[in-house]
Amino acid sequence: MPIDNDKIYGGKNNFFIWTEFTDADSYLLEFNIPGAVFSEENPGSAEYQQQTVVLTSGFYIEYDGLLIFTLPLPKGFDGIVLEVRLFALDTQGNIISETIASDKSTVTVTD
């Protein structure tokens, strides 16, 4: 994952790495544009349902216990701060019971 308090870049594909969850069929990426921040660390469900993206198996690769994917980011968001975290999903697309979100990462967009 981006290092907490790191930068991601507008106009480029940004590289993300998280630890894979062995039983996950896919993942849910939740993002937040602070002003309001995630109110809970490592919750069992997404806090901002409209600010999520499902990452299906064709969108990422798993390698040596890691989940690796890229996200394109358009230019024009310079200085915006984002929080991101992942949830493991089962074959029906539900958050796997008794799991919690990854640690959040806070990043600043740079054009």
Side-chain angles (χ1 to χ4, degrees), residues 18-86:
W18 263 278
T19 303
E20 74 173 309
F21 186 83
T22 306
D23 295 331
D25 186 66
S26 57
Y27 294 87
L28 181 74
L29 175 70
E30 181 182 19
F31 61 94
N32 184 25
I33 302 170
V37 296
F38 289 141
S39 63
E40 185 180 347
E41 292 291 327
N42 310 104
S45 61
E47 186 174 349
Y48 298 99
Q49 295 292 328
Q50 274 81 19
Q51 295 173 183
T52 61
V53 176
V54 174
L55 306 175
T56 58
S57 61
F59 193 78
Y60 60 85
I61 61 169
E62 293 173 333
Y63 176 76
D64 201 24
L66 299 174
L67 175 75
I68 303 165
F69 61 95
T70 59
L71 288 175
L73 186 65
K75 284 191 171 213
F77 296 97
D78 191 54
I80 297 290
V81 177
L82 298 172
E83 290 180 316
V84 293
R85 61 184 170 199
L86 280 182

Side-chain angles (χ1 to χ4, degrees), residues 1-7 34 81-84 104-108:
M1 88 169 40
I3 298 168
D4 200 31
N5 297 314
D6 201 1
K7 296 177 184 174
V81 177
L82 298 172
E83 290 180 316
V84 293
K104 73 172 172 70
S105 181
T106 304
V107 293
T108 302

Side-chain angles (χ1 to χ4, degrees), residues 21 41-45 86-88 95-103:
F21 186 83
E41 292 291 327
N42 310 104
S45 61
L86 280 182
F87 295 86
I95 295 173
I96 296 174
S97 298
E98 300 182 24
T99 65
I100 59 173
S102 68
D103 291 341

